[in-house]
Amino acid sequence: MISLGIFGIENNALLALVALLTGAALVTLGMWVAGLISPRSFNPQKGEAYECGIPTRGESMSQFKVGYYLFAILFLMFDVETVFLFPWAVRMRELGFGGLTAIAVFFGILVLGLVYAWRKGALEWK
């Protein structure tokens, strides 16, 4: 049982409540002090988009081609899944038939994902 000694708190739930309230009080105090001493500027230019000192032209919210993001996400997905294959390759003999089955299922899921992306046209660069 944890005890706070000087406060006479013996209950773990009460100790957790004290820790939670102390944390909340410190965060609130920190935000209040930061709001007090932080500099303030009410210049309208502060709310404008800023890029390397060059004023923006046109709409700053322009659409980008989704293909770039989709290609990057597919690359990351297959790259990370390849990393998971290394531990299996190292311990293949120890895993036996169960390990081989797990790798086969994993590869099957990878192939299904690749076929799905291919059929949807995600791998075509237009």
Side-chain angles (χ1 to χ4, degrees):
M1 177 122 0
I2 298 174
S3 165
L4 278 181
I6 56 173
F7 298 114
I9 297 175
E10 297 282 334
N11 191 352
N12 286 340
L14 191 57
L15 183 62
L17 181 65
V18 168
L20 184 70
L21 291 176
T22 303
L26 287 174
V27 168
T28 304
L29 178 70
M31 290 179 68
W32 178 71
V33 169
L36 271 177
I37 64 174
S38 65
R40 290 180 179 82
S41 173
F42 299 107
N43 191 345
Q45 281 185 329
K46 195 169 185 181
E48 291 183 13
Y50 180 78
E51 175 99 23
C52 304
I54 301 170
T56 57
R57 291 182 287 159
E59 278 291 315
S60 60
M61 293 297 292
S62 60
Q63 289 186 353
F64 289 95
K65 189 174 178 182
V66 176
Y68 298 121
Y69 298 113
L70 193 56
F71 197 79
I73 287 172
L74 284 172
F75 171 76
L76 285 174
M77 182 179 72
F78 286 105
D79 192 43
V80 168
E81 289 172 347
T82 304
V83 170
F84 287 129
L85 292 177
F86 183 74
W88 276 336
V90 171
R91 300 283 183 178
M92 185 59 203
R93 288 194 177 145
E94 296 169 13
L95 295 174
F97 186 72
L100 184 62
T101 306
I103 292 172
V105 169
F106 187 73
F107 267 126
I109 292 170
L110 277 178
V111 168
L112 285 176
L114 183 61
V115 168
Y116 177 78
W118 199 336
R119 284 195 156 187
K120 288 291 185 178
L123 302 176
E124 295 177 12
W125 203 260
K126 296 176 185 175

